[in-house]
Amino acid sequence: MTPIIAIDGFSSTGKSTIAKGLAKKLQLIYIDSGAMYRAITLFALQNGLIDNGKIQTEKLVAALPKIRIAFTFNAKTQKSETLLNGEQVEDQIRQPHVAAVVSEVSAIPEVRRFLVEQQRALGERGGLVMDGRDIGTVVFPKADVKIFTTASEEIRVERRWTELQQKGEKISKEAVRENLLHRDHIDATRKDSPLIKADDAVELDNTNLTLEAQLEWAVRLVLERMGQTVSLL
Ligand code: DC
């Protein structure tokens, strides 16, 4: 069985945690579509195409064919890593200076078209869990299962801040909150494929749920939708 599972939601609402957990449990491929937008943003920063938060859109769009994004599985860390033109950039794309402008880069229609095409190609044979903002609405509108994650603002700030602390980033909770709310606003109000819950997505508010409880809920949902034909590890 090769289901396509779409997980969408605002930043730091636990999308990737549930997506990775589901992929492992159901032996599916996991694709972090946000990492692809982050990789393009990093490329733009590295090539001087963003100056003081201002994007040179035309130049970036012209450079898109030169950008190769891929994912590789690191057997040592047991984690997926993002490659930008062959270079491993997993940590770099998570840094605050990338987060600060990624929503603006993601709002460029040509960037979206470029990535949506690649995301669809990755899902051609099914058997994957993809998380992002427009997976259930635009990338895979016919996905077998769609989940829309939500969580309280407090818990989102706490999770993101802790994640950054663990990576050694020095940043205040207020700066994290500001970036989250800024990205929420841009992601939900951009003209091209804004973040909205697909009509047929099931909402998962994980504010007070443990990872185990969320996973149990999600696995049950997938099994229900797929008529129990998904094999479990
Ligand atoms: O999931 P994330 O926080 O790593 O995503 C980074 C940014 O990428 C987010 O602010 C919006 C954008 N994004 C998007 O526009 N569409 C997606 N499918 C995934 C991410």
Side-chain angles (χ1 to χ4, degrees):
M1 192 25 107
T2 53
I4 290 193
I5 303 173
I7 304 190
D8 290 301
F10 286 101
S11 308
S12 301
T13 51
K15 295 184 299 291
S16 70
T17 310
I18 188 87
K20 282 179 205 161
L22 260 183
K24 193 162 178 204
K25 203 128 191 133
L26 303 177
Q27 290 180 282
L28 305 170
I29 293 168
Y30 164 63
I31 302 286
D32 172 1
S33 70
M36 301 172 86
Y37 289 93
R38 286 172 181 268
I40 292 198
T41 306
L42 180 65
F43 175 92
L45 287 164
Q46 284 175 340
N47 288 278
L49 302 178
I50 302 180
D51 189 22
N52 248 334
K54 177 133 184 42
I55 307 163
Q56 298 188 33
T57 306
E58 267 180 39
K59 283 193 181 159
L60 176 57
V61 170
L64 287 176
K66 286 195 257 169
I67 304 179
R68 298 265 171 281
I69 299 167
F71 295 100
T72 172
F73 189 74
N74 183 329
K76 212 161 149 194
T77 59
Q78 289 285 300
K79 284 183 182 157
S80 162
E81 292 176 346
T82 309
L83 302 180
L84 170 61
N85 290 336
E87 187 196 347
Q88 203 266 89
V89 292
E90 190 56 32
D91 287 338
Q92 283 189 69
I93 60 170
R94 314 278 163 200
Q95 287 173 351
H97 72 292
V98 174
V101 280
V102 65
S103 282
E104 282 82 353
V105 170
S106 315
I108 301 171
E110 290 87 347
V111 168
R112 304 204 69 79
R113 274 206 292 278
F114 178 73
L115 288 183
V116 167
E117 195 182 314
Q118 295 179 29
Q119 290 155 2
R120 286 187 181 146
L122 287 166
E124 217 163 43
R125 286 198 230 132
L128 92 168
V129 186
M130 191 178 286
D131 69 2
R133 304 292 187 290
D134 60 344
I135 310 306
T137 51
V138 175
V139 182
F140 299 122
K142 291 186 180 153
D144 299 288
V145 182
K146 299 181 187 178
I147 296 173
F148 191 85
T149 56
T150 61
S152 73
E153 185 180 313
E154 277 325 298
I155 200 102
R156 293 173 59 206
V157 171
E158 195 63 39
R159 282 178 189 158
R160 184 84 192 113
W161 182 79
T162 308
E163 206 177 295
L164 289 167
Q165 290 303 297
Q166 283 165 355
K167 288 186 181 149
E169 298 285 348
K170 299 262 171 293
I171 187 165
S172 71
K173 282 193 188 168
E174 269 329 291
V176 169
R177 185 188 311 271
E178 223 172 84
N179 175 253
L180 276 187
L181 297 180
H182 170 71
R183 287 205 281 148
D184 282 4
H185 177 71
I186 298 183
D187 294 348
T189 58
R190 68 177 172 228
K191 280 209 185 78
D192 191 339
S193 38
L195 170 59
I196 40 163
K197 177 177 165 292
D199 289 339
D200 51 351
V202 187
E203 190 169 323
L204 167 65
D205 180 344
N206 57 40
T207 307
N208 298 309
L209 289 180
T210 61
L211 174 57
E212 290 71 30
Q214 289 179 58
L215 210 48
E216 202 182 303
W217 175 90
V219 168
R220 195 168 307 142
L221 178 70
V222 175
L223 292 177
E224 223 174 75
R225 292 290 162 89
M226 305 303 293
Q228 303 270 333
T229 48
V230 178
S231 69
L232 279 173
L233 267 185

